[in-house]
Amino acid sequence: MERRAPLVGRDHQVGVVADALRPAAAARTLLVTGEAGAGKTAVLDEARHTVAQEGARVLRLDGESGTGPTGAAALADAVCEVLATVHHDRLPAHLTAVRRAQSRGDGGELTLLATLGETLADAACQVPFALVLDGAERLPAPTVSALQLMLRAFRPAGVPVVLAGRPASGGPAGAPDLAAAADQVLDLPPLRPDDVGELVGQRLGRPAEPALLAAVRRSLGPLAGNPAAVLSVLAALHADGGLVDLDGCTGLAGAEDDLRLTADAEPLRRVTAGGTDTAVVLAGLLHRAELRPTDLYGLDPACGALAADLGRTVDRLVRERVLTLDRDGLLAFAVPAVAAALRTLAPGRDVRSTHAAVVRTVTERLGPATTGACHPPLADHVAAAGSALHDGVAVPLLLAAAAKDARSYHPRAARAYLSALRRLPPNYPATLGVLREAAELGLGSGDHAGVLALGEPILAGLEDPGPSDGGGLEFATHAWGLSSLYEHRVPCDGAVPRAVYARMPRAAMLAALGGRYGIGPLTPWPATPLPASAEPGPDGGRRGGGPLPTRAELRTLAAAVGSHEELARAVHDLRTAEGGEPALGRLRDAAAYGDLVGALDAVLGERCVPAGHSAAGGYHAMVRDYLAGRWDDALAAARGIERRGRARGGPDTGQLARALAAEIHCFRGDLGRAREWLDLIPATVVHPLVARARLGVRYWSGQQDAALEEAWRDVRRARDSGLLTGVERVLVRILEFAEETRPEQARQALEQLAAVHAEADTAMTREALLVARGVLLRDAEGAHEAYRSAERRGDRHMRLYCCQILAEVAEEPQPWLAEAARDTHLLSLGRPGRVLLGRSAQRRNVPLPRGRSAREGLSEAEVRLIGMVAEGGTNRQIAARLACSEKTVEQRLARLFQRTGKRSRVELAAAWLDGSLAAPGPGGDAAPGGPAGPGTWSGPAGG
């Protein structure tokens, strides 16, 4: 039998229709209503399939005809055609009676309808059946009137009738309404957000990222719960290559503004019913700039015909609620996906000339500069007009608008500056001043992609520098390099001539800094001919007063990945030149993970520019989530960084996010996905974080000897490259894997750890050395100290490893095993993590804790899962909301059943609703050992 996909979100409605179609003593008439695309046909088909499986017979009545008779005659034709499929001896006589009544002509409509009712009733007595009529809104009005009269006055006894159509309120005034003839009206409401997620996951064949679901809902606006519209957007995304599969989830590969409906979608057909040219022009106008209806009334005579067409189109679309007007009178498409679909069509008229006409209607009265200051939104029209506007009008307007918007609306000001710079000649003092203003605005608002967009005018200025630019070109170049790092791109990427680095040492330093934080290849640190004390400040000579790091600060950032001695020299120079004092602990921790934003914040403090929505900002959040044990959030961040990089194109630079994602999957036991992430990292990447992930994945994949050999090689490569921070965790992992079967390598790892700690001297190297001594030398006090240090830093995974070691070497193993079991559960660790925990319990000959009881509190993830179970969510719906597979949901529920002692979803939900399952409290869990132990855990920190 054909496998049918379940109908999402319509279980209740399918049940109601199925009940109406089943044979009954008192047959009733049901009208199913809903907007276009609500799923009326799908509900009817599913209900028909349901009752057909039970042996009931359902006949489809076709009353729609493009030509031929209407009214009762059309209804008679449809009934005869349906009954012709029912084979019974008495039916031919009844059909003859219907045809005779149909041929009587004038005055015979009532007789014909009565005959139809009797014929259907008699046929149902012989062969029980139900009638279904879909698409009632497409029937001619006379046919609808005849059907309404037959159902009300001559209803066929014993024949269930189900009709489906759009609400009568959407039709013309005075049109016949079938609701008056129905016993019950069933309206199909929009799908709930959870149902939309399940529908998307069903169509994609795998869970959808929450960001993708949110983007689809936003693109559809009031149609977000319309199944046909949702499927149309998904079909367009698939056709445009706008989806990417990562980590078992499907996400959005391109920009959200590109989400569109397909060309055959009903909402789009309604918009283009009166012609496409004007609607396409309108969509192009609204995409690039703000527009009010009044902007179309005063267009110059050259656009008179188009203005009239636009005015009529706007009036029609506002009446039909396709366009909306906000309080300020701004026009917008109610469904952004309709506008995006229109933008894919070729306009029959020049949109740029219309933008220019909108601008000229104001500049002719006020002048360009006054227009920009008084009407800054017109800057977007100027940018969209391009060459259709003269530079003498465009440039003053853009600069005045940018100056006005810079204090209130940064995105539009950035667009205005960029548009003006593309018109201004390079190396003019005014041009370089504008370039600096644009760069400062981008840095201050965290718009690093906007700063990168300044690359073209920056390169034009660098090719032929003027005699004096007042520092504007240098500032913009440095800002460009810094924003490149924020966007995880190689600064300048070979586009800047080498001669520029001689004039601008900080530009060369920024280019070399990226490799030390996992952004691009490692390159030698450039020599600086001037001492730090002679260096001009980043902002007009005021040292330490601007957003850009000075040379001394850049040296400190670079030295943070190296030796303690190197960092001490850099900090000394920084204090001498700037009087600054970096937060060394936070700097070292951030450098170990290649967290550029965390390192900049530790060095620059309040001067650190906002990360905004940059790739580095996303990675900073990912590192915090990883350390705090919020690994699901960390994986979501990794997928976002990867999608961002693929959409942007160019060289791959998100290597450390990939390594952390592989690390998480490895310890959760999903080696397949871990290898997928690792395969994205080129073999030439040298960073301890990558080496650490490679070692874990290869070792647990059964390549123990090769994994350890490659790990030793990675350690040597990192140390030779000057990357010391983070090497200690690779050495700890080597020792952990080699302890039982390769004692010589374990001792060698301990010696290397001692050497690395002596050279780097960070909190992380000290923790690693103490843990290693706890493993090999049974040093419980040192392992306890490492536990406290990891707890202060907020590193949950390192703290878990310390608990495992303390379970082996402390006097009382049970408290440490209990805490390790809690963290293992919270991190959802798989076989690798559980094997290590089981080994610790086995060595002390104590039972392994079975997990926390319900009374000890639930994690946030568990609370969320139980809440969805209590709401009646199916495994498919829960998987869609959590962006995971149904198998994962089953596994998590099985763990919950085991830990809470509940045997079913009903028992679990009941216990949650009656309060017998505890929610997580603000105080957290008590650490093992009581007051004399490691203290009280106050929850994961973000460091």
Side-chain angles (χ1 to χ4, degrees):
M1 295 181 63
E2 180 184 359
R3 180 182 181 275
R4 299 171 61 88
L7 194 60
V8 176
R10 299 297 191 209
D11 293 343
H12 170 70
Q13 289 82 4
V14 169
V16 172
V17 175
D19 288 341
L21 291 175
R22 291 186 177 98
R28 58 198 177 103
T29 299
L30 173 67
L31 174 63
V32 181
T33 64
E35 298 295 339
K40 300 182 292 294
T41 300
V43 169
L44 291 186
D45 290 344
E46 188 71 14
R48 288 180 64 198
H49 177 77
T50 300
V51 298
Q53 296 296 312
E54 302 169 0
R57 187 166 190 173
V58 180
L59 303 180
R60 183 181 289 274
L61 191 66
D62 184 12
E64 182 182 6
S65 178
T67 59
T70 60
L75 196 58
D77 289 341
V79 169
C80 289
E81 183 178 350
V82 159
L83 292 183
T85 63
V86 180
H87 303 289
H88 194 271
D89 295 341
R90 296 181 58 180
L91 283 182
H94 285 292
L95 293 178
T96 302
V98 170
R99 291 305 186 187
R100 186 181 302 114
Q102 186 178 3
S103 63
R104 289 178 182 174
D106 295 340
E109 183 171 285
L110 292 179
T111 302
L112 176 58
L113 294 177
T115 304
L116 287 176
E118 293 173 0
T119 300
L120 288 171
D122 186 68
C125 289
Q126 308 303 321
V127 184
F129 63 87
L131 283 180
V132 165
L133 190 149
D134 193 9
E137 75 280 355
R138 296 190 295 269
L139 296 177
T143 307
V144 175
S145 296
L147 178 62
Q148 183 186 44
L149 183 58
M150 187 187 77
L151 293 177
R152 293 181 64 183
F154 309 106
R155 175 174 295 189
V159 180
V161 179
V162 175
L163 313 170
R166 297 180 193 173
S169 58
D177 185 5
L178 287 174
D183 300 314
Q184 180 182 359
V185 177
L186 176 66
D187 185 57
L188 298 186
L191 294 181
R192 298 176 303 172
D194 290 349
D195 295 330
V196 171
E198 185 177 356
L199 176 63
V200 172
Q202 182 187 96
R203 180 52 58 96
L204 297 176
R206 58 174 56 198
E209 280 277 358
L212 171 60
L213 297 177
V216 169
R217 288 195 293 266
R218 285 193 294 268
S219 72
L220 290 174
L223 295 180
N226 186 287
V230 171
L231 296 178
S232 177
V233 169
L234 291 180
L237 276 171
H238 187 268
D240 298 340
L243 297 173
V244 59
D245 292 334
L246 281 173
D247 235 10
C249 298
T250 300
L252 188 64
E256 184 177 329
D257 287 346
D258 296 333
L259 266 65
R260 65 178 180 88
L261 292 171
T262 52
D264 60 346
E266 174 69 17
L268 182 61
R269 291 203 306 269
R270 289 203 303 269
V271 174
T272 58
T276 60
D277 284 354
T278 310
V280 170
V281 170
L282 185 60
L285 289 171
L286 292 174
H287 181 56
R288 298 294 302 275
E290 294 180 357
L291 193 70
R292 294 174 172 83
T294 54
D295 295 331
L296 304 174
Y297 299 148
L299 296 183
D300 54 30
C303 293
L306 176 59
D309 290 343
L310 283 172
R312 286 192 294 270
T313 302
V314 167
D315 290 342
R316 175 175 71 88
L317 296 182
V318 169
R319 280 197 309 271
E320 296 174 359
R321 298 183 182 179
V322 175
L323 285 177
T324 61
L325 279 169
D326 65 9
R327 294 181 178 178
D328 297 327
L330 294 176
L331 290 167
F333 277 87
V335 179
V338 169
L342 289 171
R343 294 196 299 269
T344 62
L345 306 176
R349 306 184 185 185
D350 186 10
V351 181
R352 294 187 306 167
S353 62
T354 310
H355 283 291
V358 171
V359 175
R360 280 194 292 266
T361 57
V362 184
T363 56
E364 289 174 356
R365 293 186 292 105
L366 302 179
T370 305
T371 297
C374 297
H375 303 282
L378 288 178
D380 284 335
H381 286 282
V382 174
S387 59
L389 272 179
H390 189 269
D391 289 349
V393 173
V395 172
L397 191 155
L398 288 169
L399 294 181
K404 181 69 175 293
D405 272 338
R407 297 186 295 271
S408 57
Y409 189 51
H410 293 170
R412 190 167 58 210
R415 294 194 296 268
Y417 274 129
L418 181 59
S419 181
L421 286 168
R422 287 172 175 167
R423 294 174 178 266
L424 288 169
N427 297 324
Y428 278 33
T431 303
L432 299 175
V434 172
L435 191 59
R436 176 171 184 140
E437 290 174 8
E440 286 181 333
L441 176 68
L443 289 180
S445 60
D447 181 18
H448 299 285
V451 176
L452 287 185
L454 301 174
E456 183 179 347
I458 289 173
L459 288 174
L462 291 175
E463 288 177 0
D464 184 20
S468 174
D469 63 8
L473 182 59
E474 182 177 2
F475 182 93
T477 304
H478 292 157
W480 186 35
L482 181 62
S483 289
S484 297
L485 292 178
Y486 268 92
E487 289 296 334
H488 278 186
R489 298 178 62 175
V490 179
C492 309
D493 199 13
V496 175
R498 292 185 178 275
V500 173
Y501 289 148
R503 299 198 319 267
M504 304 178 185
R506 274 191 291 169
M509 289 180 173
L510 284 167
L513 181 65
R516 286 152 177 78
Y517 284 82
I519 305 171
L522 272 168
T523 57
W525 190 255
T528 52
L530 293 176
S533 58
E535 172 188 7
D539 189 15
R542 299 192 304 277
R543 195 176 294 119
L548 298 176
T550 64
R551 277 188 280 171
E553 290 166 337
L554 289 173
R555 279 195 296 271
T556 303
L557 288 165
V561 304
S563 67
H564 173 71
E565 182 180 351
E566 181 183 357
L567 180 59
R569 285 198 303 269
V571 171
H572 178 267
D573 291 343
L574 176 62
R575 291 168 179 160
T576 302
E578 312 292 339
E581 185 68 38
L584 290 180
R586 288 195 293 118
L587 174 60
R588 283 293 214 177
D589 289 349
Y593 283 91
D595 178 10
L596 178 71
V597 172
L600 284 168
D601 181 66
V603 172
L604 300 182
E606 295 181 353
R607 287 174 42 227
C608 183
V609 298
H613 297 289
S614 64
Y619 181 65
H620 176 64
M622 180 184 180
V623 170
R624 287 187 300 172
D625 287 334
Y626 171 81
L627 292 173
R630 298 185 292 268
W631 283 7
D632 289 331
D633 294 337
L635 287 173
R639 292 191 292 268
I641 293 170
E642 186 68 21
R643 286 195 305 273
R644 182 189 184 95
R646 294 189 186 189
R648 184 187 65 212
D652 292 331
T653 52
Q655 314 301 351
L656 301 190
R658 293 168 173 171
L660 269 185
E663 169 106 338
I664 292 172
H665 281 305
C666 174
F667 275 91
R668 285 186 164 179
D670 195 341
L671 296 178
R673 288 184 182 170
R675 283 190 290 268
E676 289 175 3
W677 282 104
L678 274 185
D679 289 344
L680 297 174
I681 304 175
T684 55
V685 174
V686 179
H687 196 280
L689 192 59
V690 176
R692 179 170 126 194
R694 283 176 181 154
L695 172 57
V697 174
R698 288 173 179 168
Y699 185 89
W700 289 107
S701 298
Q703 309 170 34
Q704 286 86 352
D705 292 333
L708 291 170
E709 181 180 350
E710 183 67 25
W712 282 115
R713 186 158 50 248
D714 286 339
V715 168
R716 288 192 296 271
R717 290 170 62 195
R719 296 194 66 179
D720 292 343
S721 302
L723 300 176
L724 285 180
T725 54
V727 168
E728 72 283 345
R729 293 292 286 268
V730 185
L731 291 169
V732 166
R733 189 158 293 173
I734 291 175
L735 183 145
E736 176 185 348
F737 292 155
E739 175 202 356
E740 284 191 339
T741 58
R742 301 167 181 84
E744 184 177 346
Q745 288 198 39
R747 287 193 297 272
Q748 184 182 356
L750 179 59
E751 293 171 1
Q752 289 283 329
L753 275 169
V756 168
H757 178 58
E759 194 173 352
D761 191 19
T762 69
M764 294 179 67
T765 59
R766 179 173 175 78
E767 287 171 20
L769 182 59
L770 291 172
V771 165
R773 287 174 176 169
V775 173
L776 293 185
L777 307 180
R778 317 293 292 177
D779 183 2
E781 184 176 347
H784 197 175
E785 185 178 346
Y787 170 91
R788 289 194 294 266
S789 176
E791 187 179 32
R792 284 193 298 270
R793 290 191 307 104
D795 190 338
R796 184 182 288 274
H797 194 208
M798 185 61 175
R799 194 184 72 172
L800 169 60
Y801 186 55
C802 292
C803 288
Q804 293 173 347
I805 303 306
L806 285 165
E808 298 185 25
V809 301
E811 292 184 4
E812 283 292 332
Q814 286 287 10
W816 298 106
L817 278 175
E819 177 164 355
R822 283 196 294 270
D823 283 348
T824 297
H825 178 78
L826 288 173
L827 297 176
S828 300
L829 296 190
R831 177 177 172 269
R834 296 182 184 278
V835 163
L836 298 176
L837 182 61
R839 187 176 66 184
S840 300
Q842 185 177 12
R843 287 177 174 176
R844 295 302 296 270
N845 195 24
V846 294
L848 186 65
R850 302 298 295 175
R852 298 169 298 170
S853 68
R855 291 187 299 274
E856 289 180 315
L858 300 165
S859 69
E860 294 180 8
E862 290 167 339
V863 169
R864 186 182 180 194
L865 177 58
I866 295 174
M868 286 186 279
V869 170
E871 292 171 1
T874 65
N875 283 2
R876 183 188 296 272
Q877 292 170 330
I878 294 172
R881 292 177 64 180
L882 297 180
C884 64
S885 66
E886 290 185 61
K887 183 177 179 181
T888 301
V889 174
E890 292 174 2
Q891 292 171 346
R892 294 182 182 177
L893 282 174
R895 288 197 294 266
L896 267 177
F897 291 152
Q898 181 181 16
R899 197 168 69 77
T900 59
K902 307 304 175 186
R903 293 173 296 178
S904 68
R905 298 162 65 95
V906 174
E907 288 186 10
L908 186 66
W912 172 252
L913 294 174
D914 65 20
S916 59
L917 290 182
D925 297 330
T936 301
W937 176 48
S938 59

